[in-house]
Amino acid sequence: MAGVDALATAELAAIAARGLLRTLEPLSSAPGAEIEVAGPRGSERLINFSSNDYLGLASDARIAASLAEGARRLGAGAGASRLVCGDFSEAHQLEEELARFEGTESALLFNSGYAANCGLIPALVGPGDAIFSDALNHASLIDGCRLSRAAIHVYPHADVAGLESLLCKASPAQRRLVVSDSVFSMDGDLAPLVALADLCDRHGALLVVDEAHATGVLGPQGRGLVSALGLGARVDARMATLSKAVGVVGAHVSGSRVLRDLLINKARPLIFSTALPPALACAARTAVALLAGREGDERRLRLWRNIEHFAAGLRALGHPAEARSAIFPVVLGTPEKALAAASRLRARGLLVKPIRPPTVPEGTSRLRFALSAAHTETQIAQALEALRAEI
Ligand SMILES: *Cc1c(COP(=O)(O)O)cnc(C)c1O
């Protein structure tokens, strides 16, 4: 066996022995509340509770038409990094609209939320500085922190007192940065953002907030949790994705104009990677307009009806649940338990992917339900009925 194959086989066997093997599963339909999975035994139709398409915009025909129109006019590829020759006026128009949406001076596009976090954090802190990171922050924030080579202090999840005691120990000579998801991606709970902003003020720390699961879902016009709490002026940089509720791909960092200038000069994923195709900016402009308009409000209303209905249903099954975001974890413990539960739900026509380490801490493998405005009442009821046997 070639060297790499021997290595891969041994590693995969070790991963599988822990119940953590991951495989791909292609869809054969458009994304949506009902999808088709192309299995080895033909395709399977399933009700989808695993997508982050919170408003059902990922398969919206008007957004797809903007993408197609943009591609016809400007082609499929950007050709270069934005700093070289891949900068298109469509991206600037989108950024202006995003800044208006966020209520900030500026916004800067990235190819993904992952790229944005890996670019943003190392642009703000470096070796000798100190980062304070919530224990349940998303992997892209963790990787951004690591890339910065600053000292990383992980505080217990959403624990304001724990964070404060760490901040008190940090040397005032160090630049300090607090970083948190606003809606935690695998738990659906909210960060104590007001308390975080107060602490950052008191300790002279910068505050970075990741709104990946809040944009489109929380706050007036779906502007996110920072806006909903009126913290816009107290958060130094906000990362929001265009890939979840917005239904397209990409992300943006919003904040001051000078922050944008700094990122253009320092954020390596922006500098050293080919820009998003301009057609995607066309699609995202249509999507953001829909999301922030009357239709967005209607979709959010439907989403929140589903959230309330699901939370009440879970509570009726004796499972503690709150209507605070579109994400509902059902923690089962071992990876094997989560895999078995997911496969029983699947036999009943529900796609709920099991979430296992390292995505979540050891011992907290779970089913993660992500609700959408596109789910019908019947689909939500089916999920609750299937869960009756699991919790
Ligand atoms: C999904 C996610 C990201 C990454 O965004 P992509 O656009 O998918 O790369 C970043 N942060 C959080 C909290 C996320 O859930």
Side-chain angles (χ1 to χ4, degrees):
M1 217 186 279
V4 70
D5 287 5
L7 172 161
T9 305
E11 283 223 19
L12 286 168
I15 292 169
R18 290 188 289 140
L20 300 178
L21 193 66
R22 285 150 154 88
T23 55
L24 295 173
E25 210 175 30
L27 303 185
S28 48
S29 70
E34 233 184 283
I35 51 167
E36 225 172 69
V37 177
R41 280 166 266 106
S43 70
E44 205 181 344
R45 266 201 101 66
L46 296 166
I47 305 169
N48 173 18
F49 285 100
S50 283
S51 171
N52 302 308
D53 180 20
Y54 298 123
L55 298 177
L57 290 176
S59 57
D60 188 273
R62 293 157 296 179
I63 299 170
S66 293
L67 180 66
E69 180 280 322
R72 263 194 302 274
R73 194 158 47 86
L74 297 157
S81 149
R82 280 183 83 182
L83 277 86
V84 182
C85 191
D87 192 25
F88 290 81
S89 52
E90 281 70 15
H92 288 261
Q93 287 158 353
L94 172 60
E95 286 170 340
E96 277 167 31
E97 289 159 9
L98 287 169
R100 217 169 307 135
F101 175 70
E102 300 280 354
T104 50
E105 273 181 18
S106 79
L108 183 67
L109 282 176
F110 282 84
N111 291 3
S112 68
Y114 186 89
N117 284 336
C118 287
L120 170 63
I121 295 168
L124 299 178
V125 288
D129 296 329
I131 295 174
F132 302 86
S133 173
D134 188 289
L136 295 187
N137 274 348
H138 188 262
S140 57
L141 289 173
I142 295 171
D143 291 356
C145 292
R146 289 177 180 160
L147 283 168
S148 76
R149 288 179 289 153
I152 302 165
H153 306 279
V154 176
Y155 61 90
H157 176 54
D159 180 348
V160 176
L163 168 60
E164 179 152 37
S165 76
L166 288 173
L167 277 166
C168 287
K169 282 186 236 150
S171 145
Q174 292 176 309
R175 201 181 291 175
R176 281 155 291 174
L177 170 68
V178 173
V179 55
S180 182
D181 285 15
S182 63
V183 172
F184 286 88
S185 57
M186 296 300 136
D187 291 78
D189 59 332
L190 309 184
L193 286 187
V194 174
L196 295 188
D198 289 344
L199 273 185
C200 287
D201 282 349
R202 238 176 305 133
H203 291 267
L206 299 170
L207 179 56
V208 164
V209 176
D210 178 332
E211 296 259 57
H213 298 280
T215 299
V217 175
L218 294 177
Q221 291 180 292
R223 290 167 195 266
L225 187 58
V226 171
S227 283
L229 297 172
L231 293 173
R234 301 174 67 198
V235 171
D236 296 284
R238 235 176 300 168
M239 199 291 291
T241 60
L242 300 171
S243 51
K244 288 170 178 153
V246 182
V248 189
V249 72
H252 59 101
V253 172
S254 45
S256 66
R257 203 161 289 130
V258 65
L259 169 70
R260 183 174 185 274
D261 292 342
L262 180 72
L263 293 174
I264 291 169
N265 282 275
K266 283 190 74 178
R268 292 168 69 87
L270 177 90
I271 299 170
F272 297 108
S273 188
T274 299
L276 285 177
L280 277 170
C282 300
R285 291 182 70 193
T286 301
V288 171
L290 282 172
L291 177 143
R294 211 178 48 216
E295 184 174 329
D297 287 339
E298 286 162 14
R299 284 175 185 253
R300 256 182 303 285
L301 207 65
R302 259 182 282 149
L303 171 63
W304 279 94
R305 255 204 320 261
N306 286 342
I307 290 170
E308 298 282 356
H309 180 178
F310 196 64
L314 284 174
R315 286 195 299 271
L317 294 175
H319 184 79
E322 279 175 68
R324 54 200 178 175
S325 75
I327 299 164
F328 289 89
V330 176
V331 176
L332 297 169
T334 63
E336 290 77 11
K337 279 189 183 156
L339 283 165
S343 111
R344 285 190 296 270
L345 292 186
R346 188 151 171 161
R348 306 181 63 146
L350 306 172
L351 183 73
V352 191
K353 293 273 180 153
I355 309 286
R356 297 164 286 165
T359 310
V360 292
E362 290 290 340
T364 70
S365 288
R366 67 194 65 187
L367 299 172
R368 171 188 182 268
F369 286 82
L371 301 191
S372 167
H375 286 125
T376 62
E377 245 176 79
T378 316
Q379 290 169 333
I380 303 278
Q382 272 174 273
L384 288 167
E385 184 50 39
L387 273 172
R388 186 180 294 278
E390 303 294 338
I391 55 185

